[in-house]
Amino acid sequence: MSWIFLGNIFRAIFAFILNIITARWLSIDDFGLVNYTTSTIAFFTSVSTLGMNGIITKNFAEDEKNTSIYLSTGIILRSFVAGIFIIGLQFFIRNFNNNEIKISNILFFQSLGMLFSAFDLFIFWFRYKYDAKFVVIVRFIGFGVSTIIKIISLVFFKSVVLYSIGISIETMIISLLLFIEYKRRCSFKFLFSKKKAKKMLKLSYPFIFSAVLVTIYGQTDKIMLKTMIGNTSVANYSVAMTLAGAFSIIPVALIEAFQPEIMRYKILDISIYKKRLRQLYAITFWSSFVYCIFITVFARLIILVLYGERYMNAIPVLVLVVWYSAFSYFGGINNLYLVAENKTFWVQLLTFIGVIINISLNFYLIPKYSSEGAALASLLTQFIANFLILIIIPQLRENFYIMIQGILCKDIGLNEISSIKKYLRR
């Protein structure tokens, strides 16, 4: 856990600085364009993962001797789908988007990241083996090289196309180093198992659908803003989202670190399993709450100092959207519970409900309130889909009660300090 925290913190700090440099160096229009293409790629990336990030650790825990087959089968499936999407995306852009070469080139170089990210499955194997240190080092190397390329593209060439190349290079370097190290430690061949593929897809298909839906109500706001208002509104909204998401290093690291423990103890000890969930909800909620209060109070000063007067219209957006991000972290924890309980069907249903709510609210609020409307739509969607709806559906009420117990810090082991210290050291 400490290594995941360390890696996420350093990466988030440098990514945050790079985002500020990019926003200041590019015109508002180009900055909005980069964020628009990133949102477009996110739709395809959500499908190309095939939902395997959410279930691969469960496969390792249940059938550890065949981890290599699960990995190779998953990589082959994901690479095939990514290749189809890269070709299809270019065909669509060149034939149905007035042949805009600049957008086409940016999308092409960014979409290569989908192909390289197929090897991300190795990350879950290293974490499963409690070797997060290596993953952190590899990610930092990839991010460092990518950052240098991005800065050079901005400072010397002022090119958003070259900037987009740096995005995919990061994924390529990380994937290559992960593959080399895994092959050094274990015997690995690219073997495709039809039986394992069916097993993985049967478990992951709800997450494919869910990932698409999550991306829709996570990225639709930017795409709708560009379509209805323009690139400037996308730029302001993206600045607010960056600041709101700067805190994500903590809840994301927690969810990643707790995932192997939760899956193991679901099989070994149900009481510890539920305690881990309560602990995760408690830490995530209260740390997010403190951050939201801080941003709400100092939003104006933060944007003025970091981004300058050009982005002052992002202030009301930030005040709203920071609370959206707090509820979005609950969704990641809810998914862990649903996987562990073999209730993956509800993942797609909850997400579908969220999409309907989000798109409806965006259509209504964006024309009236522009970026602030998109922020409010996102906040209401996350609150309903990741919190309120759990009490409405009987099959999910246990998850709701565990969440509430965590928020109230009930039975999270505060009287077992020595045990928690040992767990964290491990």
Side-chain angles (χ1 to χ4, degrees):
M1 187 184 293
S2 61
W3 273 105
I4 293 175
F5 265 116
L6 184 66
N8 285 5
I9 287 171
F10 273 105
R11 192 183 187 285
I13 290 172
F14 287 107
F16 187 65
I17 294 172
L18 178 62
N19 182 268
I20 295 173
I21 294 172
T22 304
R24 284 181 171 271
W25 204 270
L26 292 176
S27 65
I28 295 182
D29 190 70
D30 276 348
F31 185 65
L33 179 61
V34 169
N35 284 278
Y36 164 71
T37 54
T38 301
S39 297
T40 303
I41 291 295
F43 279 104
F44 295 90
T45 302
S46 63
V47 180
S48 68
T49 62
L50 297 179
M52 291 183 181
N53 293 355
I55 58 95
I56 193 70
T57 304
K58 183 178 176 67
N59 292 135
F60 295 160
E62 294 177 347
D63 192 10
E64 189 168 352
K65 64 181 180 181
N66 289 313
T67 53
S68 184
I69 298 177
Y70 283 114
L71 286 168
S72 60
T73 300
I75 290 170
I76 292 171
L77 285 171
R78 285 178 54 169
S79 298
F80 177 74
V81 173
I84 292 175
F85 284 163
I86 291 172
I87 297 171
L89 183 59
Q90 284 300 303
F91 175 81
F92 178 82
I93 292 297
R94 291 179 180 273
N95 289 278
F96 299 99
N97 199 32
N98 298 322
N99 198 26
E100 294 187 31
I101 301 300
K102 185 177 182 180
I103 294 179
S104 175
N105 290 337
I106 293 172
L107 286 172
F108 173 73
F109 289 117
Q110 286 190 1
S111 64
L112 290 177
M114 286 191 291
L115 188 62
F116 302 134
S117 66
F119 291 82
D120 280 356
L121 292 176
F122 286 116
I123 292 175
F124 297 92
W125 181 84
F126 283 105
R127 287 177 182 160
Y128 180 75
K129 293 295 183 181
Y130 292 103
D131 193 2
K133 176 181 178 180
F134 178 74
V135 175
V136 169
I137 294 172
V138 165
R139 279 185 156 178
F140 200 74
I141 292 171
F143 180 75
V145 175
S146 172
T147 299
I148 292 172
I149 294 173
K150 290 175 183 176
I151 291 176
I152 290 174
S153 69
L154 292 174
V155 175
F156 295 100
F157 300 99
K158 294 184 179 179
S159 170
V160 290
V161 176
L162 290 177
Y163 183 89
S164 65
I165 294 175
I167 296 174
S168 292
I169 283 180
E170 177 181 356
T171 311
M172 181 188 72
I173 292 173
I174 293 172
S175 299
L176 181 62
L177 294 177
L178 287 171
F179 173 68
I180 292 173
E181 179 62 16
Y182 180 86
K183 196 169 183 180
R184 188 185 70 82
R185 300 188 189 188
C186 307
S187 176
F188 181 83
K189 294 181 180 179
F190 279 103
L191 300 174
F192 183 80
S193 170
K194 200 179 278 188
K195 181 179 178 181
K196 294 291 188 292
K198 288 181 179 179
K199 179 182 178 181
M200 294 171 75
L201 291 173
K202 184 178 179 180
L203 188 61
S204 70
Y205 88 87
F207 286 92
I208 302 174
F209 184 61
S210 175
V212 174
L213 296 177
V214 166
T215 306
I216 289 174
Y217 76 73
Q219 304 297 335
T220 296
D221 40 18
K222 294 179 184 177
I223 295 174
M224 291 177 68
L225 279 170
K226 181 185 185 302
T227 304
M228 296 180 176
I229 310 297
N231 285 336
T232 300
S233 63
V234 178
N236 288 321
Y237 189 78
S238 298
V239 165
M241 289 293 288
T242 299
L243 290 168
F247 177 74
S248 65
I249 52 176
I250 293 178
V252 169
L254 283 167
I255 293 170
E256 291 174 351
F258 270 79
Q259 183 177 7
E261 291 283 301
I262 289 171
M263 295 305 171
R264 274 198 177 96
Y265 283 114
K266 170 59 181 173
I267 299 171
L268 300 176
D269 191 324
I270 201 71
S271 63
I272 298 180
Y273 155 74
K274 290 184 178 180
K275 179 184 287 187
R276 290 285 180 265
L277 284 170
R278 290 192 294 268
Q279 290 170 340
L280 190 51
Y281 278 119
I283 301 172
T284 301
F285 174 80
W286 287 107
S287 56
S288 298
F289 181 79
V290 172
Y291 183 73
C292 289
I293 293 295
F294 172 78
I295 290 295
T296 301
V297 173
F298 296 104
R300 180 181 180 84
L301 179 63
I302 292 170
I303 289 180
L304 182 63
V305 172
L306 296 179
Y307 289 93
E309 292 186 1
R310 290 192 302 168
Y311 292 94
M312 295 304 283
N313 288 334
I315 294 172
V317 184
L318 175 59
V319 172
L320 284 171
V321 87
V322 70
W323 293 95
Y324 139 85
S325 61
F327 285 106
S328 70
Y329 305 136
F330 281 171
I333 308 174
N334 295 346
N335 285 347
L336 287 183
Y337 168 85
L338 293 172
V339 171
E341 297 288 338
N342 292 315
K343 295 180 179 180
T344 52
F345 164 77
W346 292 101
V347 174
Q348 55 191 329
L349 182 60
L350 291 176
T351 313
F352 180 73
I353 293 171
V355 167
I356 298 301
I357 294 171
N358 186 254
I359 292 177
S360 301
L361 288 173
N362 273 314
F363 267 114
Y364 177 74
L365 295 172
I366 287 178
K368 288 190 173 184
Y369 306 107
S370 186
S371 303
E372 293 95 321
L376 180 58
S378 296
L379 170 59
L380 293 173
T381 300
Q382 293 291 343
F383 174 75
I384 295 170
N386 293 328
F387 183 80
L388 188 61
I389 204 167
L390 298 182
I391 192 63
I392 298 173
I393 300 175
Q395 292 88 338
L396 303 180
R397 284 176 188 164
E398 182 187 41
N399 188 189
F400 179 81
Y401 296 142
I402 292 174
M403 180 193 296
I404 293 299
Q405 288 174 338
I407 292 173
L408 298 176
C409 296
K410 183 179 179 181
D411 297 327
I412 64 171
L414 290 176
N415 59 333
E416 302 170 10
I417 301 299
S418 60
S419 298
I420 293 176
K421 286 182 177 179
K422 289 179 181 178
Y423 170 69
L424 292 175
R425 280 199 297 269
R426 186 180 67 198

